[in-house]
Amino acid sequence: MAVKSLRTVVSELLIKVSKNAYSNLALDGALQKASYSPKEKAFVSRLFYGVIERMITLDYVISLYSSKPLEKLDDAVLTVLRVGVYQLLYMSSVPDNAAVNESVKSVKQLGKSSAASYVNAVLRNLVRAGKSFDLPNASVKGLSANYSCPEDLIERLINQYGRERTEKFLEESLKPHKLYLRVNNTKISEYELAEHFKCKGVNVYSCEEADNCILAENFGSIEKDELFAKGFYHVQDLSSQLCCKALNPEKGERILDICAAPGGKTFTMAEMTDDSCEIYSCDLHQKRVDLIKNGAERLGLESVSALQNDATVFNEKFGEFDKILCDVPCSGFGVIRSKPEIKYTPLADVEHLPQIQYDILCTAARYLKVGGELVYSTCTVLKEENECVIDRFLKEHGNFEGIPFFGELGSPFGGFKATIFADKMDCEGFFISKIRRNR
């Protein structure tokens, strides 16, 4: 039996994702099972995530050069075409002939030999046309085809932020996401960790916006780094670290992280207090609670208590807290640079979220002592999940007030609500709001 080509492996993974498999789990599983070289792993990863990221654009181009409607194509055939077109348009290191011939091989290996000549014809038509294509003239359709984002999401963003801000958001969504690390200052200094990486050929930069935050480039396998295994750092985007900084946990305080899994913000807050606070780190599902426990153990953080808890139901056993982080489940449309499949989530599937978010916020606020502070956050930029939830809460709870934060950092900060966009801070999209219970 012939060994599957790398393109065939990518196509199979993409088909799994189309059937609701998680992209990162599907890819990690495939790479762990196979004995690929680092170069082969990089190729598979680039092609896999690239096709997901550019899927709408790829389908648009295929429709221009195909003699058949896309909806009539078998899933495997359409997937192979996407993989082939992505190589032709976005991978200059792959010769055109290789992209075409390997696609024909893939469609055969996937059991669709009858479509081999069709796949060959579509891809060669694109090559003969100089790999060029015109975008639709209509505003939203053109943006969708160019930035590979669903039209309804684009329309929602334009209605909320205007065309200029939306287009900047879409441009940033197609750029490689940055790798930020949070230094475990209870074990090592930022300088010492940076020197460790420099000796390994990793480019590292200190972040002015957050203490003990490092931007790393040319990073290899994190799991194979001995200092990661020893708990000297964890991976956490700058926006998430700013969320913790906004809450400003202090030594001796009781802190509640009500929707905590997998635990990154819990860990950062524990480290900010030199592991000298009491943090209840909660999640609804025990498997995710175990992720928090395992992470805290790796980092050597003893102030963390990982607990299974329903964030929408008040737990009288918890008592009162000085600080609360309410990082609620959301649509995730702010992090499509690192998780591109999220942008294809139908808006109808997330319309229920604002009520859930509001319910969790109301429950969380009941734990806050008078004078205590709460940060509400999401990794989306949709206003109905952000400003609207906070504004509704403050309108209906007169004993709370908004607290301005990070005025020294300038826009978008300075008020008690801030929406972070990637083009402003080169990190994931995020929303942070800070409130205080005044009576």
Side-chain angles (χ1 to χ4, degrees):
M1 186 175 181
V3 176
K4 292 179 184 177
S5 71
L6 296 180
R7 277 89 165 176
T8 301
V9 171
V10 170
S11 295
E12 289 179 334
L13 290 173
L14 291 168
I15 292 171
K16 284 184 180 180
V17 171
S18 71
K19 296 177 180 178
N20 297 321
Y22 289 107
S23 62
N24 60 326
L25 297 180
L27 179 61
D28 290 347
L31 294 182
Q32 288 174 6
K33 290 179 183 178
S35 56
Y36 296 134
S37 67
K39 185 176 181 180
E40 289 172 327
K41 288 182 178 180
F43 178 84
V44 169
S45 299
R46 162 84 187 279
L47 189 52
F48 174 69
Y49 279 118
V51 171
I52 294 175
E53 183 180 73
R54 298 275 188 173
M55 193 173 300
I56 292 177
T57 306
L58 299 174
D59 286 356
Y60 173 73
V61 173
I62 293 168
S63 71
L64 297 178
Y65 292 95
S66 171
S67 59
K68 302 176 183 178
L70 267 61
E71 59 269 19
K72 298 290 185 181
L73 297 179
D74 180 271
D75 286 348
V77 176
L78 179 57
T79 301
V80 168
L81 282 173
R82 288 169 174 166
V83 172
V85 172
Y86 183 84
Q87 293 170 81
L88 290 173
L89 296 181
Y90 302 111
M91 298 182 74
S92 58
S93 61
V94 178
D96 291 349
N97 282 342
V100 175
N101 295 336
E102 288 296 323
S103 296
V104 172
K105 181 193 294 185
S106 285
V107 82
K108 292 178 179 178
Q109 289 186 336
L110 291 172
K112 304 296 176 181
S113 296
S114 60
S117 59
Y118 165 74
V119 168
N120 182 72
V122 171
L123 297 180
R124 292 205 179 279
N125 286 341
L126 176 59
V127 172
R128 281 193 288 270
K131 298 186 286 188
S132 64
F133 58 94
D134 295 323
L135 294 172
N137 292 325
S139 174
V140 173
K141 286 187 178 294
L143 290 174
S144 178
N146 190 25
Y147 296 109
S148 201
C149 185
E151 292 180 30
D152 58 349
L153 178 55
I154 293 175
E155 289 174 344
R156 181 75 59 90
L157 292 170
I158 290 176
N159 288 337
Q160 295 185 0
Y161 293 103
R163 182 183 173 93
E164 182 178 356
R165 159 53 54 208
T166 297
E167 192 154 5
K168 286 183 179 179
F169 172 82
L170 296 173
E171 288 174 358
E172 290 295 326
S173 74
L174 295 177
K175 294 180 180 179
H177 78 278
K178 299 298 179 69
L179 179 65
Y180 289 94
L181 309 175
R182 162 68 201 194
V183 181
N184 184 356
N185 53 278
T186 69
K187 290 188 173 185
I188 193 172
S189 70
E190 180 181 333
Y191 173 79
E192 289 170 324
L193 186 62
E195 289 301 305
H196 162 77
F197 289 134
K198 289 177 182 177
C199 290
K200 290 180 171 290
V202 178
N203 296 328
V204 293
Y205 308 91
S206 181
C207 300
E208 296 181 359
E209 300 86 355
D211 296 334
N212 294 306
C213 178
I214 290 177
L215 171 62
E217 295 178 346
N218 304 323
F219 206 100
S221 173
I222 290 175
E223 288 75 12
K224 292 182 179 179
D225 181 49
E226 64 269 24
L227 294 194
F228 176 81
K230 292 178 180 179
F232 283 22
Y233 64 93
H234 65 274
V235 177
Q236 186 178 45
D237 191 71
L238 172 60
S239 56
S240 293
Q241 296 191 46
L242 288 173
C243 176
C244 299
K245 181 179 178 179
L247 188 58
N248 189 31
E250 297 180 357
K251 293 180 180 181
E253 290 185 326
R254 294 192 81 231
I255 301 166
L256 173 63
D257 189 349
I258 199 166
C259 299
K265 297 181 185 68
T266 288
F267 308 149
T268 295
M269 291 190 292
E271 292 161 358
M272 290 173 70
T273 67
D274 292 325
D275 203 23
S276 298
C277 62
E278 180 185 1
I279 300 184
Y280 280 24
S281 186
C282 306
D283 195 84
L284 179 61
H285 303 288
Q286 185 58 49
K287 286 186 177 180
R288 291 174 63 77
V289 173
D290 291 339
L291 292 176
I292 302 171
K293 289 181 179 178
N294 294 338
E297 289 175 1
R298 181 180 65 81
L299 294 162
L301 300 172
E302 298 180 356
S303 60
V304 176
S305 296
L307 306 167
Q308 186 175 12
N309 180 68
D310 186 342
T312 63
V313 178
F314 185 73
N315 190 333
E316 294 181 353
K317 297 179 181 179
F318 277 7
E320 290 187 328
F321 293 88
D322 300 284
K323 302 279 176 64
I324 296 177
L325 178 59
C326 192
D327 186 56
V328 295
C330 69
S331 61
F333 290 132
V335 297
I336 58 179
R337 189 160 71 166
S338 59
K339 299 177 181 178
E341 70 267 30
I342 287 177
K343 63 185 172 183
Y344 305 116
T345 303
L347 288 181
D349 289 358
V350 300
E351 298 292 359
H352 67 291
L353 287 173
Q355 185 59 50
I356 293 175
Q357 293 157 346
Y358 181 76
D359 292 342
I360 292 175
L361 176 57
C362 289
T363 302
R366 293 178 64 187
Y367 298 115
L368 196 63
K369 73 178 188 180
V370 175
E373 296 175 341
L374 180 151
V375 162
Y376 172 89
S377 62
T378 74
C379 58
T380 189
V381 295
L382 294 184
K383 290 187 176 183
E384 57 267 34
E385 299 182 59
N386 296 338
E387 290 97 326
C388 293
V389 174
I390 282 293
D391 290 345
R392 177 186 173 188
F393 178 83
L394 292 178
K395 182 179 180 181
E396 298 179 5
H397 296 77
N399 57 333
F400 284 81
E401 62 179 346
I403 304 298
F405 61 97
F406 295 164
E408 71 279 3
L409 295 181
S411 178
F413 305 109
F416 71 94
K417 297 178 289 187
T419 302
I420 300 173
F421 286 95
D423 62 293
K424 294 288 187 179
M425 303 193 71
D426 206 12
C427 60
E428 301 287 11
F430 218 78
F431 176 79
I432 304 172
S433 180
K434 186 172 184 177
I435 60 178
R436 176 192 295 141
R437 182 178 180 180
N438 51 30
R439 65 181 187 276

mmCIF file of all heavy atoms in Angstrom, residues 75-98:
data_model
loop_
_atom_site.group_PDB
_atom_site.id
_atom_site.type_symbol
_atom_site.label_atom_id
_atom_site.label_comp_id
_atom_site.label_asym_id
_atom_site.label_seq_id
_atom_site.Cartn_x
_atom_site.Cartn_y
_atom_site.Cartn_z
ATOM 1 N N ASP A 75 -16.906 16.054 -0.857
ATOM 2 C CA ASP A 75 -16.079 16.745 0.140
ATOM 3 C C ASP A 75 -14.588 16.527 -0.092
ATOM 4 O O ASP A 75 -13.785 17.453 0.025
ATOM 5 C CB ASP A 75 -16.442 16.268 1.549
ATOM 6 C CG ASP A 75 -17.777 16.815 2.019
ATOM 7 O OD1 ASP A 75 -18.302 17.730 1.367
ATOM 8 O OD2 ASP A 75 -18.282 16.309 3.038
ATOM 9 N N ALA A 76 -14.233 15.298 -0.410
ATOM 10 C CA ALA A 76 -12.812 14.984 -0.607
ATOM 11 C C ALA A 76 -12.255 15.721 -1.823
ATOM 12 O O ALA A 76 -11.130 16.245 -1.785
ATOM 13 C CB ALA A 76 -12.631 13.470 -0.767
ATOM 14 N N VAL A 77 -13.027 15.788 -2.883
ATOM 15 C CA VAL A 77 -12.572 16.459 -4.107
ATOM 16 C C VAL A 77 -12.407 17.954 -3.856
ATOM 17 O O VAL A 77 -11.392 18.554 -4.244
ATOM 18 C CB VAL A 77 -13.552 16.200 -5.261
ATOM 19 C CG1 VAL A 77 -13.133 16.985 -6.507
ATOM 20 C CG2 VAL A 77 -13.632 14.716 -5.579
ATOM 21 N N LEU A 78 -13.389 18.561 -3.214
ATOM 22 C CA LEU A 78 -13.302 19.990 -2.922
ATOM 23 C C LEU A 78 -12.126 20.284 -1.996
ATOM 24 O O LEU A 78 -11.396 21.271 -2.192
ATOM 25 C CB LEU A 78 -14.603 20.471 -2.287
ATOM 26 C CG LEU A 78 -14.667 21.944 -1.886
ATOM 27 C CD1 LEU A 78 -14.382 22.849 -3.082
ATOM 28 C CD2 LEU A 78 -16.020 22.282 -1.267
ATOM 29 N N THR A 79 -11.904 19.425 -1.036
ATOM 30 C CA THR A 79 -10.788 19.630 -0.104
ATOM 31 C C THR A 79 -9.452 19.555 -0.829
ATOM 32 O O THR A 79 -8.552 20.379 -0.587
ATOM 33 C CB THR A 79 -10.835 18.589 1.024
ATOM 34 O OG1 THR A 79 -12.077 18.699 1.716
ATOM 35 C CG2 THR A 79 -9.692 18.793 2.004
ATOM 36 N N VAL A 80 -9.288 18.591 -1.702
ATOM 37 C CA VAL A 80 -8.046 18.472 -2.476
ATOM 38 C C VAL A 80 -7.824 19.721 -3.325
ATOM 39 O O VAL A 80 -6.695 20.223 -3.440
ATOM 40 C CB VAL A 80 -8.076 17.204 -3.345
ATOM 41 C CG1 VAL A 80 -6.936 17.225 -4.371
ATOM 42 C CG2 VAL A 80 -7.969 15.953 -2.490
ATOM 43 N N LEU A 81 -8.901 20.222 -3.926
ATOM 44 C CA LEU A 81 -8.775 21.440 -4.726
ATOM 45 C C LEU A 81 -8.345 22.616 -3.856
ATOM 46 O O LEU A 81 -7.506 23.426 -4.266
ATOM 47 C CB LEU A 81 -10.107 21.755 -5.416
ATOM 48 C CG LEU A 81 -10.434 20.921 -6.655
ATOM 49 C CD1 LEU A 81 -11.853 21.207 -7.135
ATOM 50 C CD2 LEU A 81 -9.435 21.204 -7.781
ATOM 51 N N ARG A 82 -8.914 22.732 -2.667
ATOM 52 C CA ARG A 82 -8.510 23.815 -1.763
ATOM 53 C C ARG A 82 -7.031 23.724 -1.430
ATOM 54 O O ARG A 82 -6.311 24.738 -1.439
ATOM 55 C CB ARG A 82 -9.340 23.747 -0.478
ATOM 56 C CG ARG A 82 -10.792 24.162 -0.639
ATOM 57 C CD ARG A 82 -11.598 23.803 0.602
ATOM 58 N NE ARG A 82 -12.969 24.304 0.553
ATOM 59 C CZ ARG A 82 -13.949 23.914 1.357
ATOM 60 N NH1 ARG A 82 -13.694 22.997 2.298
ATOM 61 N NH2 ARG A 82 -15.164 24.424 1.250
ATOM 62 N N VAL A 83 -6.575 22.517 -1.131
ATOM 63 C CA VAL A 83 -5.163 22.315 -0.803
ATOM 64 C C VAL A 83 -4.286 22.677 -1.996
ATOM 65 O O VAL A 83 -3.236 23.326 -1.851
ATOM 66 C CB VAL A 83 -4.922 20.860 -0.357
ATOM 67 C CG1 VAL A 83 -3.433 20.577 -0.210
ATOM 68 C CG2 VAL A 83 -5.646 20.579 0.964
ATOM 69 N N GLY A 84 -4.711 22.287 -3.185
ATOM 70 C CA GLY A 84 -3.941 22.591 -4.384
ATOM 71 C C GLY A 84 -3.894 24.075 -4.689
ATOM 72 O O GLY A 84 -2.827 24.639 -4.978
ATOM 73 N N VAL A 85 -5.051 24.727 -4.619
ATOM 74 C CA VAL A 85 -5.112 26.158 -4.915
ATOM 75 C C VAL A 85 -4.327 26.962 -3.882
ATOM 76 O O VAL A 85 -3.649 27.941 -4.227
ATOM 77 C CB VAL A 85 -6.575 26.642 -4.977
ATOM 78 C CG1 VAL A 85 -6.641 28.164 -5.096
ATOM 79 C CG2 VAL A 85 -7.290 26.006 -6.162
ATOM 80 N N TYR A 86 -4.378 26.537 -2.626
ATOM 81 C CA TYR A 86 -3.613 27.259 -1.608
ATOM 82 C C TYR A 86 -2.120 27.225 -1.931
ATOM 83 O O TYR A 86 -1.431 28.249 -1.831
ATOM 84 C CB TYR A 86 -3.849 26.659 -0.216
ATOM 85 C CG TYR A 86 -3.122 27.444 0.854
ATOM 86 C CD1 TYR A 86 -3.686 28.582 1.406
ATOM 87 C CD2 TYR A 86 -1.836 27.077 1.274
ATOM 88 C CE1 TYR A 86 -2.998 29.337 2.361
ATOM 89 C CE2 TYR A 86 -1.145 27.826 2.227
ATOM 90 C CZ TYR A 86 -1.735 28.955 2.761
ATOM 91 O OH TYR A 86 -1.050 29.702 3.691
ATOM 92 N N GLN A 87 -1.623 26.082 -2.340
ATOM 93 C CA GLN A 87 -0.203 25.984 -2.698
ATOM 94 C C GLN A 87 0.134 26.889 -3.881
ATOM 95 O O GLN A 87 1.176 27.561 -3.880
ATOM 96 C CB GLN A 87 0.156 24.538 -3.033
ATOM 97 C CG GLN A 87 0.088 23.596 -1.844
ATOM 98 C CD GLN A 87 0.221 22.157 -2.285
ATOM 99 O OE1 GLN A 87 1.310 21.654 -2.517
ATOM 100 N NE2 GLN A 87 -0.913 21.468 -2.393
ATOM 101 N N LEU A 88 -0.748 26.916 -4.868
ATOM 102 C CA LEU A 88 -0.495 27.728 -6.059
ATOM 103 C C LEU A 88 -0.487 29.222 -5.734
ATOM 104 O O LEU A 88 0.335 29.975 -6.268
ATOM 105 C CB LEU A 88 -1.553 27.442 -7.120
ATOM 106 C CG LEU A 88 -1.494 26.051 -7.782
ATOM 107 C CD1 LEU A 88 -2.699 25.843 -8.684
ATOM 108 C CD2 LEU A 88 -0.202 25.892 -8.582
ATOM 109 N N LEU A 89 -1.383 29.650 -4.849
ATOM 110 C CA LEU A 89 -1.527 31.080 -4.585
ATOM 111 C C LEU A 89 -0.649 31.595 -3.468
ATOM 112 O O LEU A 89 -0.198 32.745 -3.503
ATOM 113 C CB LEU A 89 -2.995 31.395 -4.249
ATOM 114 C CG LEU A 89 -4.034 31.165 -5.348
ATOM 115 C CD1 LEU A 89 -5.416 31.560 -4.842
ATOM 116 C CD2 LEU A 89 -3.688 31.941 -6.607
ATOM 117 N N TYR A 90 -0.385 30.758 -2.452
ATOM 118 C CA TYR A 90 0.222 31.277 -1.232
ATOM 119 C C TYR A 90 1.523 30.592 -0.808
ATOM 120 O O TYR A 90 2.106 30.987 0.195
ATOM 121 C CB TYR A 90 -0.782 31.183 -0.080
ATOM 122 C CG TYR A 90 -2.068 31.938 -0.349
ATOM 123 C CD1 TYR A 90 -3.264 31.254 -0.556
ATOM 124 C CD2 TYR A 90 -2.083 33.326 -0.408
ATOM 125 C CE1 TYR A 90 -4.447 31.944 -0.804
ATOM 126 C CE2 TYR A 90 -3.259 34.024 -0.661
ATOM 127 C CZ TYR A 90 -4.434 33.316 -0.860
ATOM 128 O OH TYR A 90 -5.597 34.004 -1.106
ATOM 129 N N MET A 91 1.981 29.586 -1.550
ATOM 130 C CA MET A 91 3.218 28.909 -1.178
ATOM 131 C C MET A 91 4.188 28.960 -2.355
ATOM 132 O O MET A 91 4.231 28.056 -3.192
ATOM 133 C CB MET A 91 2.938 27.459 -0.741
ATOM 134 C CG MET A 91 2.056 27.371 0.489
ATOM 135 S SD MET A 91 1.753 25.674 1.081
ATOM 136 C CE MET A 91 3.341 25.292 1.830
ATOM 137 N N SER A 92 4.947 30.030 -2.411
ATOM 138 C CA SER A 92 5.859 30.243 -3.539
ATOM 139 C C SER A 92 6.963 29.200 -3.599
ATOM 140 O O SER A 92 7.575 28.989 -4.660
ATOM 141 C CB SER A 92 6.478 31.638 -3.449
ATOM 142 O OG SER A 92 7.160 31.805 -2.214
ATOM 143 N N SER A 93 7.225 28.519 -2.479
ATOM 144 C CA SER A 93 8.277 27.505 -2.456
ATOM 145 C C SER A 93 7.856 26.218 -3.155
ATOM 146 O O SER A 93 8.694 25.356 -3.453
ATOM 147 C CB SER A 93 8.674 27.185 -1.014
ATOM 148 O OG SER A 93 7.564 26.670 -0.293
ATOM 149 N N VAL A 94 6.559 26.076 -3.428
ATOM 150 C CA VAL A 94 6.054 24.872 -4.096
ATOM 151 C C VAL A 94 5.910 25.143 -5.591
ATOM 152 O O VAL A 94 5.137 26.021 -5.998
ATOM 153 C CB VAL A 94 4.690 24.446 -3.516
ATOM 154 C CG1 VAL A 94 4.155 23.212 -4.252
ATOM 155 C CG2 VAL A 94 4.803 24.160 -2.029
ATOM 156 N N PRO A 95 6.627 24.411 -6.448
ATOM 157 C CA PRO A 95 6.478 24.593 -7.901
ATOM 158 C C PRO A 95 5.048 24.290 -8.347
ATOM 159 O O PRO A 95 4.377 23.427 -7.772
ATOM 160 C CB PRO A 95 7.468 23.582 -8.490
ATOM 161 C CG PRO A 95 8.445 23.309 -7.388
ATOM 162 C CD PRO A 95 7.659 23.414 -6.128
ATOM 163 N N ASP A 96 4.590 24.995 -9.368
ATOM 164 C CA ASP A 96 3.223 24.804 -9.839
ATOM 165 C C ASP A 96 2.950 23.346 -10.227
ATOM 166 O O ASP A 96 1.896 22.790 -9.893
ATOM 167 C CB ASP A 96 2.955 25.701 -11.050
ATOM 168 C CG ASP A 96 2.917 27.175 -10.671
ATOM 169 O OD1 ASP A 96 2.897 27.473 -9.454
ATOM 170 O OD2 ASP A 96 2.917 28.025 -11.587
ATOM 171 N N ASN A 97 3.887 22.731 -10.933
ATOM 172 C CA ASN A 97 3.695 21.343 -11.369
ATOM 173 C C ASN A 97 3.549 20.405 -10.178
ATOM 174 O O ASN A 97 2.736 19.477 -10.208
ATOM 175 C CB ASN A 97 4.860 20.884 -12.252
ATOM 176 C CG ASN A 97 4.753 21.411 -13.667
ATOM 177 O OD1 ASN A 97 3.678 21.826 -14.095
ATOM 178 N ND2 ASN A 97 5.862 21.423 -14.391
ATOM 179 N N ALA A 98 4.326 20.671 -9.129
ATOM 180 C CA ALA A 98 4.243 19.822 -7.940
ATOM 181 C C ALA A 98 2.882 19.971 -7.276
ATOM 182 O O ALA A 98 2.274 18.984 -6.843
ATOM 183 C CB ALA A 98 5.353 20.192 -6.958
#
